[in-house]
Amino acid sequence: MQSKQVNKHYLIVLICLAVLAVTAVSVLEPRVVPESDALSYLAAMAGFDSGGGASLGTLAYRIVVAGGGIWTIIGLSKILGSYENAWMFLNVFFYAGSVMFAYELIRRLHGSRNVALLSAMFLAGNYAMVTYGLGYFMDAGGWMFYILSALGVLMYAQSGQQRYLWLAGAAVGVGGLFKEYPFLGALLIGLYLIYENWRKPLDFLQKVWKPAVIAAVPTSILHGIVYFKYHFTYFD
C-alpha cells in the first residue's frame, strides 16, 4: 500500500511536469536569442563537432564552463537531427530532474508528500525556471546537479551513511561539467561537516576528503584537457 502511495505521488509530479513543459514550450516558443550566449555555444559546438576544436580560440571558454553540456548536445544531435533539438531535449530532462529532486528534498524535510508536491509545482512554474530551464540556455543542468548535491547532504544528515556524501560529491563533480552552479554544493558538504564535527577536526578531515576528491576530479580533468589542447583557462 505504501509503495502504491509513493508511486502515485511521483506519477502526479511527472504528469504535472509534462503539462507545464508542453504548455511553456507552446506558449513561449523558445528560440535562439541573438543577444544571449546561445550563439557562442552553438558556434563552439559546430567548431568542435567539425574537427576544428584546436582553433576554437576564445570559444574554448564555453568548453571550460559547459563542456559536459556541449559534448552531450553534440552526441544527441546525431540522433535528434540538430543542435537545437538536442539542446531542448537535454534541458527538458534537466528541468524534470530538477523538479523531481526538489520534490524528494522537500518531502524529506517536511515529511509530507502533499507539501512536497505543491512546493515542486511552485518551482516548476517559476518564471526563471520555465524561461531559462526550457530555453536555449545552459543553466538547467547546473540547477539539477546542485539540487541533487543538496539532497545528498540531507540524506547523509538524516542517515549518517557516508555514501550519500559521495553522492553529493559526485553531483558537484559531474554537475560542474555542465555549469558552475553545482560547485555551491561543495560548500553545503563542507559547511555541514564543519557543523557536525567542529569539535573533532580529525573526524571532519576523514569524512570530507572522499567527497572532495570525487567533486574535484571531473572538473580538474576537463580544465586540464582545455588548457593543454586549447591553451585556455577559466580565468582567461
Side-chain angles (χ1 to χ4, degrees):
M1 185 69 182
Q2 181 69 18
S3 177
K4 290 183 179 180
Q5 188 76 2
V6 170
N7 292 336
K8 183 189 79 171
H9 278 83
Y10 282 122
L11 181 61
I12 291 172
V13 174
L14 287 172
I15 291 173
C16 291
L17 277 176
V19 172
L20 279 168
V22 170
T23 303
V25 172
S26 300
V27 172
L28 298 177
E29 298 182 347
R31 60 180 62 86
V32 175
V33 180
E35 296 79 14
S36 72
D37 294 334
L39 290 179
S40 62
Y41 279 116
L42 289 169
M45 293 172 201
F48 192 90
D49 195 19
S50 65
S55 60
L56 283 177
T58 56
L59 288 177
Y61 179 72
R62 294 304 177 197
I63 303 292
V64 172
V65 298
I70 288 172
W71 293 327
T72 303
I73 290 169
I74 289 173
L76 289 173
S77 71
K78 310 302 182 186
I79 302 171
L80 299 176
S82 71
Y83 299 138
E84 289 83 355
N85 290 343
W87 199 344
M88 183 57 61
F89 177 87
L90 184 63
N91 274 355
V92 168
F93 173 81
F94 285 146
Y95 170 83
S98 295
V99 176
M100 293 302 293
F101 289 138
Y103 168 84
E104 184 61 20
L105 180 72
I106 296 164
R107 184 192 70 79
R108 286 175 174 270
L109 282 172
H110 286 274
S112 168
R113 293 190 179 278
N114 291 332
V115 171
L117 174 62
L118 185 59
S119 300
M121 291 304 99
F122 285 162
L123 175 64
N126 178 273
Y127 175 79
M129 188 74 178
V130 170
T131 303
Y132 295 100
L134 295 174
Y136 294 104
F137 301 91
M138 284 292 185
D139 302 277
W143 297 341
M144 187 191 81
F145 284 106
Y146 172 72
I147 296 171
L148 178 57
S149 70
L151 177 59
V153 174
L154 176 63
M155 292 171 74
Y156 166 75
Q158 292 177 329
S159 69
Q161 297 183 46
Q162 292 196 35
R163 60 177 176 163
Y164 293 123
L165 285 180
W166 305 342
L167 169 65
V172 173
V174 175
L177 303 179
F178 290 85
K179 202 62 177 172
E180 304 101 315
Y181 309 133
F183 293 129
L184 293 173
L187 285 177
L188 293 178
I189 297 171
L191 290 173
Y192 181 77
L193 288 178
I194 289 172
Y195 166 78
E196 181 189 49
N197 303 280
W198 69 277
R199 290 183 175 177
K200 304 173 183 176
L202 291 181
D203 287 355
F204 167 77
L205 292 174
Q206 186 179 30
K207 291 178 180 179
V208 79
W209 77 268
K210 286 184 181 178
V213 169
I214 293 171
V217 166
T219 299
S220 299
I221 293 173
L222 172 65
H223 284 236
I225 290 172
V226 172
Y227 177 75
F228 288 109
K229 188 168 184 177
Y230 307 119
H231 308 292
F232 207 88
T233 72
Y234 183 85
F235 301 101
D236 289 336

